[in-house]
């Protein structure tokens, strides 16, 4: 499977493509680098995103591996606009399951940022984040998008 790595403000990221779709975004620099048009486009879009261009990445072909329930959760995440958040409870009411099962699906998300699990927060507070920097990365991504973050004073305020 082709992979391409990039530097970002939250650390090195590696994208993986299979059968014309992105299947993973991992923290760290990948061993093998094999640029394809889709991987180059996605890296360029991520660079623009980190430079402040709002992007929901909705038109990128993504094919995460997961159960039908997790697929439904990840599809709901893709519908959350940049700069907005939803609670685990909101998504549980929308997709089914419980806030805990939504959190588990978020934690298993193989394509973070592009499938924006960082936009899901707890009813009171932030909740967790599976990125290398944990909640610090979540706060960075939400602030980058201009989201109101529960319990966190904006850095630019």
């Amino acid at each position: 499977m082709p992979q391409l790595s990039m530097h970002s403000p939250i650390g090195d990221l590696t994208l993986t493509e299979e059968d014309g779709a992105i299947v993973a975004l991992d923290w760290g620099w990948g061993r093998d680098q094999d640029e394809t048009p889709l991987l180059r486009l996605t890296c360029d879009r991520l660079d623009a995103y980190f430079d402040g261009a709002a992007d929901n990445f909705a038109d990128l072909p993504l094919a995460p591996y997961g159960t039908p329930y997790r697929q439904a959760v990840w599809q709901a995440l893709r519908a959350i606009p940049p700069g907005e958040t939803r609670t685990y409870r909101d998504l549980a009411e929308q997709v089914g399951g419980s806030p805990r099962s939504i959190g588990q699906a978020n934690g298993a998300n193989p394509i973070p940022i592009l499938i924006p699990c960082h936009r899901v927060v707890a009813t009171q507070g932030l909740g967790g984040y599976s990125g290398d920097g944990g909640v610090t990365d979540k706060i960075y991504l939400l602030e980058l998008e201009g989201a109101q973050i529960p319990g966190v004073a904006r850095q630019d305020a």
Side-chain angles (χ1 to χ4, degrees), residues 11-30:
D12 294 336
L13 304 173
T14 297
L15 293 157
T16 304
E17 178 183 343
E18 182 177 349
D19 296 329
I22 302 296
V23 295
L25 185 152
D26 296 300
W27 270 258
W29 198 266

Side-chain angles (χ1 to χ4, degrees), residues 14 19 36 42 46 70 72 76 105 116 128 140 155-156:
T14 297
D19 296 329
T36 68
T42 305
L46 282 165
R70 288 181 174 174
Y140 176 86
Q155 298 294 330
D156 60 358

